[in-house]
Amino acid sequence: DVQLQASGGGLVQAGGSLRLTCAGSGFRFGDYAKGWFRQAPGKEREAVSCIATSDGPTGYMTYYSDSVKGRFTISSDSAKNTIYLQMNNLKPEDTGVYYCAADLWGLPRGTCVPGLNDWRGQGTLVTVSS
């Protein structure tokens, strides 16, 4: 079974930082793009940041939503089957449940959407107070 185990959420004041971790198992980790989605109360789930599988001339291809560009950084450690999301300068609007996901499509076209498998883990809650 595919498992994606997210951790690292919590309560932080605006301007603070958190680092989310997601450990994957049950699939060939390096074969699929992976990333983070979030869902705020009363809002639809949105892609936050995604990372591709291949290491090109400029590193792994990544996607960031406009709302987090310059503040969040995604990274991947294939040896540990783990991805990370470093979140700096957090804002109250970053509050939500953050999910990690695998088998994501669209990065070469500047987007990030679930693929056919739509693998996702349980969420971790991030609360940013003002």
Side-chain angles (χ1 to χ4, degrees):
D1 290 348
V2 171
Q3 293 191 3
L4 293 160
Q5 185 73 34
S7 61
L11 173 64
V12 64
Q13 289 187 334
S17 298
L18 284 173
R19 188 192 196 206
L20 304 184
T21 298
C22 175
S25 63
F27 64 101
R28 292 173 60 90
F29 192 80
D31 286 354
Y32 298 91
K34 297 160 286 289
W36 295 91
F37 289 70
R38 70 184 178 193
Q39 187 161 21
K43 295 186 177 180
E44 293 186 355
R45 187 179 63 157
E46 62 170 337
V48 174
S49 181
C50 305
I51 188 165
T53 59
S54 300
D55 188 4
T58 58
Y60 286 86
M61 185 179 297
T62 56
Y63 163 87
Y64 295 95
S65 68
D66 288 342
S67 63
V68 307
K69 282 180 182 176
R71 300 188 297 122
F72 291 11
T73 302
I74 191 170
S75 59
S76 177
D77 186 340
S78 295
K80 296 181 179 180
N81 286 5
T82 300
I83 62 169
Y84 306 94
L85 186 67
Q86 178 66 43
M87 305 186 296
N88 298 329
N89 190 22
L90 282 160
K91 303 177 180 180
E93 51 264 42
D94 294 318
T95 293
V97 178
Y98 284 69
Y99 302 86
C100 63
D103 187 23
L104 303 173
W105 296 2
L107 271 72
R109 300 187 300 277
T111 188
C112 181
V113 296
L116 293 177
N117 290 304
D118 195 16
W119 291 327
R120 71 183 80 169
Q122 96 297 346
T124 185
L125 178 62
V126 173
T127 304
V128 184
S129 62
S130 57

